[in-house]
């Protein structure tokens, strides 16, 4: 990781509100960006290709893997999800807070590649709220919803592996929590060693 940027993992079960919270957090700011992931799953009606995800075929995804152009990838509910390498490194070099909205499998891989990564787990306030959010999408059948709930339970058991947990009781509170974490992490001494050295040398 470069000194100029900060890499942030955001994970959470399906239905925890990751997209909504991130949109609120990013509104009006230019110092943070979400890395757009690539996926083989079908695009939902309200999603935009290249904004929410790059929606691609499994063949295309596997080609990028073979070319070593993916930072990480994971298979979730029968679909592949992954992070393209080049945009992440470019945004870090620009000094951005780069947020990777990724699954737990991918998060484990990123921690090995970037030891200084900051990891945040977005948690729903209750299991009932999570189920209601999943059903409220009206985009999946009962079998898929039940499968997602089983996976969500397993994922939430891994929340303790993350640096921070943010409860999404309201979008505003969750977005403010993420902002507080990133602001604090940016001020950690090891991230500012070049600035500190420059000031000391000029005293």
């Amino acid at each position: 990781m470069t000194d100029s940027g900060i890499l942030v993992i955001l994970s959470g079960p399906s239905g925890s509100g990751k997209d909504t919270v991130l949109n609120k957090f990013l509104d009006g700011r230019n110092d943070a960006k979400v890395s757009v992931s690539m996926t083989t799953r079908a695009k939902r009606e309200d999603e935009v290709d290249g904004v929410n995800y790059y929606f691609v075929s499994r063949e295309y995804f596997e080609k990028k893997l073979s070319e070593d152009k993916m930072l990480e990838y994971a298979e979730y509910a029968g679909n592949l999800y992954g992070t393209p390498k080049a945009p992440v490194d470019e945004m870090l070099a620009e000094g951005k807070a780069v947020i990777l909205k990724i699954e737990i499998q991918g998060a484990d891989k990123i921690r090995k590649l970037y030891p200084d990564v900051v990891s945040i787990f977005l948690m729903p306030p209750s299991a009932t709220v999570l189920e209601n959010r999943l059903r409220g999408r009206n985009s999946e059948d009962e079998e898929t919803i039940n499968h997602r709930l089983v996976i969500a339970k397993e994922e939430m058991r891994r929340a303790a592996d993350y640096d921070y947990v943010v409860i999404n009781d309201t979008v505003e509170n969750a977005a403010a929590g993420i902002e507080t974490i990133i602001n604090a992490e940016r001020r950690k001494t090891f991230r500012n060693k070049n600035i500190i050295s420059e000031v000391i040398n000029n005293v």
Side-chain angles (χ1 to χ4, degrees):
M1 183 180 298
T2 66
D3 292 333
S4 55
I6 179 172
L7 190 63
V8 180
I9 291 170
L10 181 69
S11 300
S14 181
S16 61
K18 295 184 292 295
D19 287 327
T20 304
V21 170
L22 280 177
N23 286 340
K24 180 67 176 177
F25 166 72
L26 292 167
D27 187 28
R29 62 190 310 149
N30 59 14
D31 62 336
K33 295 286 184 182
V34 175
S35 171
V36 179
S37 296
M38 189 180 292
T39 183
T40 60
R41 79 158 168 79
K43 183 170 74 70
R44 297 185 185 124
E45 187 176 341
D46 60 339
E47 291 178 323
V48 178
D49 186 30
V51 175
N52 300 100
Y53 286 96
Y54 296 113
F55 296 95
V56 301
S57 67
R58 179 173 282 264
E59 180 182 10
Y60 182 89
F61 196 109
E62 290 175 345
K63 180 175 182 289
K64 293 300 177 185
L65 286 177
S66 68
E67 294 171 348
D68 196 30
K69 292 184 177 179
M70 303 296 288
L71 197 58
E72 57 78 31
Y73 79 98
E75 186 157 2
Y76 177 84
N79 294 302
L80 295 171
Y81 295 79
T83 305
K85 276 183 179 179
V88 170
D89 289 334
E90 182 178 323
M91 288 186 287
L92 285 174
E94 293 171 354
K96 305 290 187 185
V98 183
I99 302 171
L100 304 182
K101 187 192 71 174
I102 56 178
E103 310 300 333
I104 287 174
Q105 295 174 57
D108 289 339
K109 295 172 184 175
I110 292 295
R111 286 190 190 94
K112 294 176 182 178
L113 292 171
Y114 296 90
D116 296 340
V117 69
V118 178
S119 58
I120 303 171
F121 193 92
L122 189 65
M123 183 80 80
S126 70
T128 300
V129 169
L130 181 69
E131 182 171 355
N132 289 341
R133 287 174 180 169
L134 286 173
R135 294 188 183 283
R137 290 174 174 174
N138 295 318
S139 61
E140 296 165 330
D141 58 28
E142 187 68 16
E143 182 180 356
T144 302
I145 290 172
N146 288 333
H147 183 55
R148 287 192 179 276
L149 288 171
V150 170
I151 293 173
K153 186 175 181 180
E154 293 301 315
E155 288 178 328
M156 287 188 286
R157 289 196 177 109
R158 292 286 310 278
D161 295 338
Y162 284 67
D163 298 320
Y164 302 92
V165 171
V166 171
I167 306 297
N168 185 14
D169 50 354
T170 70
V171 172
E172 291 75 15
N173 286 345
I178 291 172
E179 181 174 17
T180 298
I181 290 166
I182 291 177
N183 286 344
E185 286 288 337
R186 277 191 177 277
R187 288 165 174 76
K188 283 191 172 178
T189 304
F190 77 89
R191 298 190 194 281
N192 294 283
K193 57 188 178 184
N194 289 343
I195 295 173
I196 293 170
S197 296
E198 182 179 344
V199 171
I200 291 172
N201 291 335
N202 288 323
V203 170

